[in-house]
C-alpha cells in the first residue's frame, strides 16, 4: 500500500492533523482460500484493517455437513471448520501487524482460539501473542434479539463471554474481547433511545458478570472497561445519529465512573466502530444507496469528540445480493476520499457550542437512562431477553417504522416517493451486478472436512473434547480447554456440540404474539380490505380462520422481515404459525401438515433460497400436499426468482416490495387461486 502523505495543516485548523480511523470492508465468502485472496487484494488497495465475515454454520456451531448447513456453506461469509481453515484464511498475512475484527458471537471463544494458534504457528512467541490486536464481536444479547446466531442459553453464553474477557485481559491485553453491537438492534427496528439503552444494558450485564466472577481483581477492572468496545449503526437521519454518538459517550462515561469506580478518563473513553445502516438500503433505484452511505458515514466522522475508531461501509448493491470486490472497493474509496482529500481531520469538534446539538444530546441521554433503569428493574438485560420484553419492543418499533413508510409519512426516495427512473446501467444485467457463490463450493468444503477428520490424532481429540465438557460442568475458565481442542484438530461443530451437551440450546422469544397493532384496520384502509378478503376466503373454505405458516429454513437468523409479515398477517385476521428461526425443510413441512395451513411463507436472506425453498416444495409434494401455495421472500436476485417460480413457488417478494399489507393481500389471492376460488377485489 502506498501511504498518502500528510498535508501541512491549515493555518486556521489545529496544529496536528488527526490520524484517519481504521478502514475496513466486511468480507469473506466461499472458502478460506478465496477469502484470503480477497483480503490480500483489499489490503493492497489501502484497507487498514480486516473484518471477517463467517458463514452461518461457523457462526452457529455446525460443521458444513450438518443437516442445517445445507445451502448455507460459504454463502454469507467464509466457512472455518478447524485449524486448517484458519491457517489458509490468513496465509501470508502477518497477524502481528493486523487489526482483525471477527463478526462472531456464540462461537467467538472458538474462533479466537483458532486465531491465537495460527498466530503462534506464524512464529509469534508468547510475548508477541500479547500484542495481537483486534476484536471478537461476542455480543450474544443482540443475537437473541435480532441476528439469530445464538446457540446456548443466556447464562452459559454470558459465562463464555466472561471467561474470554478474563483470559484476554491477562493474555492478549490489546484485544477487544467483546464488541457490544447495537448495529443489529437498529436493523431490527430500534429507535436511537432503544439502541443506546439496550447496548448499555448489555454492557452492564457483562461488566457485572466479570466483576462478580472473581477472575479479575477490582484493581484491574479499569483494564476490562478499557477493552470493551461497541459496534454502532448510523442511519440516514444525520443530526439524530450524530447526537446519538455523543449521547453514547456521555452515558458510558457516567456508568463506568459511577457504577464501576473507574477513575482514569482514558479507560472510560467510549470506543466504537461503525457500519452504516443496511436497513435503509433499497433494491429500488439502488444507486441512491451511495448518497445514503455517504451521509450516514458523515454522522460518525464529522464530530471529532464522537468520531468512530473504525468504519466499514456496506456496498450500494447489498439489497440485491452479495457485493462484488469492485463494489467493496467503491465503499472503501468513499472513506479514503473523505479522510485524505477533505480537510475534516484538521479541525477540532465543529459542533461544539451548538445549542441544537446540545439539546438533542441531553434529551437522548435522559430518555436512555430512563429505559436503562426500567431494564435494571426487570433484573437486567438477560432477564429482559428471557421475558421477551426487549424482543417485543423491537418488533413493535419496527412495525411502527414500516407503517410510517407504507403511509408515506416516512419518505424513501425511489420507493414511496420519486419512483420514476431512467434505466439504470448499474443493474442492466442483474445477474452480473452481484457476486454469486458456486453451489459446488459446499461439496468441496464438505469433502475437505472429511479429509481433515481422517488425518487427526483421535485419542488427543477425544481427550480434548472430554476436558472441555468437564470444564463446562465445573467453574474453570473455558479458554484453555478450547485452545487444546483447537490444537487437537477439533471442528467447529465438535466444539459447539460438546458445549451443547452441557449447556443445552436456546430458542429466543419471537416477540410476534405480544407485538401491538401498528397498522389499524379502520374502514376504508388497505388493511380493512385485506381483512375482509381473509374473512370471505375463510368462509368460502368452510374454516374458522385462514392459517398461515411463516418459516425460516436453514441458519439465516435475520428474522425482522418474517416477524413483520407474521404480525401483519395476524392483524389481517390470519391464524399465524411462526416457530422462529433455524428450521429444516422437514420441520417446516411437518408443521404445515400438522397445523393444516392454507399457505406457507419462507423467508431467506442468506442466499440459501435456491436449495432450501425447492426442498420444501418437493417435501410438500411427497406428503400429498402440493396445492398448499408456497411464497418466498428475501434478498433474491431476479434470475433466482424466475427459477423459484418455475419450480412451483406461487409468489416471490424482495426488498422492493415494501407494502406489507399488499403482500398479505397477494397471499390471500394465492390461497384462493390454489383452492380454485374466484378472485376477489383486493388492493393491488
Amino acid at each position: 500500500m502506498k501511504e498518502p502523505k500528510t498535508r501541512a495543516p491549515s493555518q486556521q485548523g489545529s496544529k496536528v492533523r488527526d490520524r484517519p480511523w481504521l478502514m475496513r470492508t466486511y468480507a469473506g465468502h466461499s472458502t478460506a482460500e478465496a477469502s484470503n485472496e480477497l483480503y490480500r487484494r483489499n489490503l493492497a488497495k489501502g484497507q487498514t484493517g480486516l473484518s471477517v465475515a463467517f458463514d452461518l454454520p461457523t457462526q452457529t456451531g455446525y460443521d458444513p455437513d450438518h443437516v442445517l448447513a445445507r445451502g448455507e456453506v460459504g454463502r454469507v461469509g467464509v466457512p472455518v471448520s478447524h485449524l486448517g481453515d484458519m491457517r489458509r484464511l490468513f496465509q501470508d498475512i502477518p497477524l502481528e501487524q493486523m487489526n482483525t475484527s471477527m463478526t462472531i458471537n456464540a462461537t467467538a471463544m472458538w474462533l479466537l482460539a483458532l486465531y491465537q494458534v495460527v498466530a503462534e504457528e506464524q512464529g509469534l512467541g508468547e510475548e508477541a501473542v500479547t500484542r495481537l490486536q483486534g476484536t471478537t464481536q461476542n455480543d450474544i444479547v443482540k443475537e437473541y434479539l435480532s441476528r439469530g446466531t445464538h446457540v446456548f442459553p443466556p447464562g452459559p453464553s454470558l459465562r463464555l463471554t466472561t471467561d474470554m474477557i478474563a483470559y484476554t485481559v491477562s493474555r492478549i491485553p490489546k484485544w477487544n474481547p467483546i464488541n457490544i453491537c447495537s448495529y443489529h438492534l437498529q436493523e431490527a427496528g430500534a429507535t436511537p433511545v432503544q439502541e443506546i439503552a439496550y447496548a448499555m444494558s448489555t454492557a452492564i450485564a457483562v461488566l457485572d458478570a466479570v466483576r462478580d466472577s472473581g477472575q479479575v481483581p477490582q484493581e484491574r477492572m479499569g483494564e476490562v472497561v478499557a477493552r470493551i468496545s461497541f459496534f454502532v449503526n448510523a442511519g440516514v437521519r444525520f443530526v439524530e445519529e450524530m447526537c446519538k454518538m455523543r449521547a453514547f459517550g456521555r452515558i458510558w462515561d457516567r456508568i463506568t465512573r459511577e457504577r464501576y469506580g473507574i477513575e482514569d478518563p482514558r479507560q472510560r473513553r467510549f470506543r466504537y466502530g461503525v457500519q452504516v445502516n443496511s436497513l435503509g438500503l433499497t433494491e429500488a433505484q439502488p444507486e441512491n444507496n451511495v448518497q445514503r452511505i455517504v451521509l450516514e458515514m458523515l454522522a460518525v466522522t464529522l464530530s471529532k469528540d464522537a468520531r468512530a475508531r473504525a468504519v466499514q461501509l456496506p456496498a450500494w448493491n447489498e439489497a440485491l445480493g452479495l457485493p462484488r470486490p469492485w463494489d467493496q472497493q467503491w465503499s472503501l474509496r468513499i472513506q479514503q476520499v473523505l479522510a485524505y482529500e477533505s480537510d475534516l481531520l484538521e479541525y477540532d469538534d465543529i459542533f461544539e457550542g451548538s445549542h441544537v446539538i446540545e439539546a438533542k444530546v441531553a434529551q437522548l441521554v435522559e430518555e436512555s437512562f430512563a429505559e436503562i433503569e426500567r431494564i435494571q428493574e426487570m433484573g437486567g438485560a438477560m432477564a429482559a431477553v428471557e421475558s421477551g420484553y426487549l424482543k417485543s419492543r423491537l418488533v413493535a418499533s419496527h412495525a411502527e417504522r414500516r407503517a410510517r413508510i407504507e403511509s408515506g409519512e416516512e419518505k424513501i426516495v425511489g420507493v414511496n416517493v420519486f419512483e420514476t427512473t431512467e434505466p439504470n446501467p448499474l443493474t442492466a444485467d442483474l445477474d452480473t451486478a452481484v457476486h454469486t457463490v458456486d453451489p459446488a463450493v459446499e461439496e468441496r468444503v464438505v469433502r475437505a472436512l472429511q479429509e481433515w477428520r481422517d488425518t487427526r490424532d483421535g485419542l488427543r481429540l477425544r481427550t480434548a473434547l472430554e476436558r472441555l465438557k468437564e470444564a463446562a460442568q465445573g467453574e474453570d475458565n473455558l479458554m484453555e480447554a478450547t485452545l487444546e481442542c483447537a490444537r487437537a484438530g477439533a471442528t467447529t461443530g465438535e466444539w459447539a456440540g460438546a458445549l451443547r451437551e452441557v449447556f443445552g440450546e436456546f430458542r429466543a422469544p419471537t416477540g410476534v404474539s405480544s407485538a401491538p397493532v401498528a397498522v389499524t384496520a379502520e374502514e376504508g384502509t388497505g388493511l380493512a380490505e385485506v381483512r375482509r378478503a381473509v374473512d370471505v376466503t375463510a368462509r368460502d373454505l368452510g374454516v374458522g380462520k385462514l392459517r398461515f405458516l411463516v418459516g425460516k429454513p436453514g441458519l439465516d437468523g435475520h428474522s425482522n422481515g418474517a416477524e413483520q409479515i407474521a404480525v401483519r398477517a395476524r392483524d389481517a385476521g390470519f391464524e399465524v404459525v411462526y416457530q422462529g428461526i433455524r428450521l429444516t425443510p422437514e420441520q417446516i413441512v411437518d408443521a404445515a401438515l400438522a397445523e393444516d395451513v392454507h399457505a406457507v411463507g419462507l423467508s431467506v436472506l442468506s442466499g440459501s433460497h435456491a436449495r432450501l425453498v425447492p426442498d420444501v416444495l418437493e417435501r410438500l409434494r411427497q406428503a400429498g400436499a402440493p396445492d398448499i401455495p408456497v411464497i418466498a421472500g428475501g434478498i433474491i436476485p431476479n434470475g433466482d426468482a424466475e427459477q423459484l417460480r418455475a419450480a412451483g413457488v406461487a409468489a416471490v417478494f424482495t426488498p422492493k416490495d415494501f407494502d406489507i399489507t399488499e403482500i398479505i393481500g397477494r397471499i390471500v389471492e394465492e390461497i384462493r387461486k390454489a383452492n380454485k376460488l374466484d378472485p376477489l377485489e383486493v388492493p393491488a
Side-chain angles (χ1 to χ4, degrees):
M1 167 190 170
K2 184 179 179 182
E3 192 70 38
K5 294 181 179 179
T6 302
R7 196 176 63 188
S10 160
Q11 290 183 344
Q12 295 179 338
S14 58
K15 293 181 180 179
V16 179
R17 182 181 174 91
D18 286 348
R19 289 178 60 85
W21 50 91
L22 272 173
M23 298 182 190
R24 295 178 171 134
T25 51
Y26 182 51
H29 65 84
S30 303
T31 64
E33 294 88 345
S35 299
N36 172 265
E37 181 184 350
L38 178 62
Y39 295 161
R40 287 188 285 111
R41 284 212 311 270
N42 286 347
L43 289 168
K45 292 173 183 174
Q47 186 173 298
T48 53
L50 292 177
S51 181
V52 182
F54 296 98
D55 74 353
L56 287 172
T58 304
Q59 293 185 53
T60 51
Y62 294 107
D63 286 334
D65 57 354
H66 191 278
V67 62
L68 274 168
R70 289 176 300 184
E72 306 281 16
V73 176
R75 286 280 174 186
V76 301
V78 57
V80 175
S81 304
H82 46 71
L83 183 59
D85 287 339
M86 191 64 100
R87 287 172 185 148
R88 289 188 290 275
L89 184 63
F90 292 105
Q91 181 82 32
D92 299 323
I93 297 176
L95 297 188
E96 188 180 9
Q97 300 174 25
M98 284 296 104
N99 190 304
T100 304
S101 172
M102 293 191 277
T103 301
I104 198 72
N105 294 280
T107 56
M109 179 179 284
W110 174 243
L111 273 300
L112 177 60
L114 294 177
Y115 189 86
Q116 177 181 327
V117 174
V118 168
E120 293 168 351
E121 291 181 347
Q122 287 188 355
L124 302 188
E126 185 171 336
E127 193 278 329
V129 167
T130 67
R131 297 198 299 271
L132 290 176
Q133 295 185 69
T135 302
T136 32
Q137 193 166 96
N138 200 18
D139 173 6
I140 204 64
V141 170
K142 67 94 174 52
E143 297 302 317
Y144 297 135
L145 298 178
S146 59
R147 206 164 156 270
T149 69
H150 55 276
V151 176
F152 312 112
S157 294
L158 189 57
R159 176 184 172 186
L160 286 167
T161 299
T162 301
D163 285 358
M164 274 186 69
I165 291 172
Y167 176 83
T168 54
V169 164
S170 61
R171 299 288 296 278
I172 318 178
K174 294 187 177 182
W175 193 267
N176 300 326
I178 185 170
N179 191 223
I180 294 169
C181 181
S182 69
Y183 173 86
H184 289 98
L185 300 180
Q186 187 178 122
E187 296 291 296
T191 65
V193 167
Q194 289 172 331
E195 188 179 341
I196 295 169
Y198 297 175
M200 288 298 167
S201 296
T202 298
I204 289 170
V206 168
L207 287 173
D208 282 0
V210 172
R211 179 194 61 196
D212 298 343
S213 73
Q215 296 190 67
V216 179
Q218 177 59 38
E219 61 269 19
R220 298 195 69 182
M221 279 299 292
E223 297 172 48
V224 173
V225 168
R227 301 321 303 177
I228 304 290
S229 62
F230 291 78
F231 189 65
V232 180
N233 205 325
V236 77
R237 290 172 57 81
F238 169 80
V239 174
E240 188 171 64
E241 292 296 316
M242 191 268 293
C243 290
K244 180 185 74 180
M245 300 320 310
R246 299 170 86 90
F248 253 126
R250 291 188 192 181
I251 292 171
W252 182 241
D253 184 81
R254 178 172 155 187
I255 288 173
T256 53
R257 185 179 69 253
E258 295 181 0
R259 188 179 183 97
Y260 302 104
I262 309 304
E263 297 297 334
D264 188 339
R266 292 170 300 178
Q267 294 178 329
R268 298 198 309 266
R269 183 179 178 187
F270 182 71
R271 301 162 59 251
Y272 81 99
V274 66
Q275 172 161 321
V276 305
N277 186 278
S278 293
L279 175 67
L281 300 183
T282 63
E283 180 183 6
Q285 299 180 29
E287 66 275 12
N288 294 334
N289 293 331
V290 177
Q291 50 264 36
R292 291 185 180 109
I293 289 167
V294 172
L295 183 59
E296 291 163 352
M297 176 182 63
L298 292 176
V300 295
T301 53
L302 281 186
S303 174
K304 181 177 179 179
D305 290 348
R307 183 171 294 150
R309 298 281 292 273
V311 177
Q312 59 190 47
L313 303 180
W316 68 277
N317 55 350
E318 287 199 14
L320 305 175
L322 189 64
R324 300 157 299 185
W326 184 85
D327 306 313
Q328 292 191 324
Q329 175 183 293
W330 190 356
S331 290
L332 176 62
R333 296 295 185 244
I334 290 172
Q335 294 197 58
Q336 291 170 328
V337 167
L338 179 65
Y340 297 117
E341 293 188 25
S342 83
D343 60 352
L344 170 67
L345 297 177
E346 297 173 17
Y347 294 89
D348 288 331
D349 197 287
I350 61 176
F351 295 100
E352 185 177 349
S354 166
H355 299 299
V356 172
I357 298 301
E358 185 57 38
K360 184 63 178 177
V361 172
Q363 176 195 351
L364 289 172
V365 168
E366 180 181 357
E367 293 178 5
S368 297
F369 266 122
E371 182 66 7
I372 291 167
E373 184 59 34
R374 189 174 297 115
I375 292 167
Q376 292 308 302
E377 289 172 357
M378 295 177 186
M382 293 302 181
V385 165
E386 293 184 281
S387 71
Y389 169 77
L390 296 184
K391 182 64 173 178
S392 66
R393 293 307 306 142
L394 289 178
V395 172
S397 294
H398 199 177
E400 290 163 6
R401 176 181 182 270
R402 295 297 305 228
R404 291 194 302 272
I405 294 172
E406 291 174 33
S407 70
E409 177 187 348
E410 185 169 324
K411 292 176 171 53
I412 310 293
V413 173
V415 174
N416 63 359
V417 66
F418 308 123
E419 298 166 59
T420 57
T421 181
E422 296 296 326
N424 185 343
L426 291 174
T427 57
D429 183 357
L430 278 173
D431 290 335
T432 61
V434 294
H435 179 79
T436 57
V437 176
D438 184 351
V441 163
E442 185 168 321
E443 183 180 338
R444 293 200 298 271
V445 170
V446 168
R447 190 164 56 245
L449 172 65
Q450 191 54 55
E451 292 171 1
W452 174 267
R453 288 177 180 149
D454 292 342
T455 60
R456 300 178 300 187
D457 180 335
L459 177 59
R460 183 181 182 186
L461 172 68
R462 289 190 295 274
T463 302
L465 290 172
E466 284 303 316
R467 181 187 169 198
L468 176 65
K469 286 190 279 190
E470 289 172 6
Q473 289 164 347
E475 296 182 357
D476 291 349
N477 187 299
L478 293 170
M479 193 68 196
E480 291 293 348
T482 295
L483 283 162
E484 176 54 26
C485 286
R487 296 182 177 114
T491 66
T492 298
E494 289 165 345
W495 177 85
L499 294 181
R500 279 184 172 98
E501 288 184 34
V502 179
F503 295 151
E505 288 196 75
F506 184 70
R507 292 194 70 81
T510 67
V512 168
S513 61
S514 56
V517 173
V519 177
T520 61
E522 296 170 359
E523 191 61 36
T525 63
L527 187 58
E529 293 297 321
V530 173
R531 280 191 71 103
R532 190 172 296 114
V534 170
D535 293 341
V536 169
T537 304
R539 286 199 302 271
D540 289 347
L541 292 174
V543 297
K545 271 193 168 188
L546 292 184
R547 292 179 295 280
F548 178 43
L549 184 147
V550 179
K552 290 284 298 176
L555 295 175
D556 169 34
H558 287 89
S559 57
N560 305 329
E563 290 155 2
Q564 294 306 311
I565 292 289
V567 169
R568 192 67 58 83
R570 177 204 68 185
D571 295 344
F574 275 92
E575 180 182 323
V576 177
V577 179
Y578 178 58
Q579 298 171 322
I581 63 172
R582 214 175 298 171
L583 300 171
T584 64
E586 297 95 317
Q587 290 171 321
I588 289 171
V589 171
D590 287 347
L593 298 175
E595 300 289 345
D596 193 22
V597 300
H598 299 98
V600 172
L602 302 177
S603 170
V604 184
L605 281 80
S606 65
S608 61
H609 52 264
R611 181 166 182 181
L612 298 181
V613 175
D615 194 354
V616 171
L617 287 167
E618 181 57 30
R619 291 177 187 280
L620 284 171
R621 292 188 189 104
Q622 292 174 0
D627 296 331
I628 298 176
V630 174
I631 290 89
I635 298 177
I636 302 174
N638 279 357
D640 287 2
E642 291 172 8
Q643 292 176 15
L644 291 179
R645 283 189 284 264
V649 169
V652 177
F653 298 102
T654 64
K656 71 177 183 298
D657 302 297
F658 70 94
D659 192 323
I660 301 180
T661 297
E662 182 179 325
I663 292 173
I664 303 303
R666 286 279 308 281
I667 292 169
V668 178
E669 289 178 7
E670 296 301 333
I671 292 173
R672 295 189 68 83
K673 192 184 303 181
N675 288 276
K676 298 180 172 56
L677 299 174
D678 292 335
L680 294 173
E681 288 296 325
V682 178

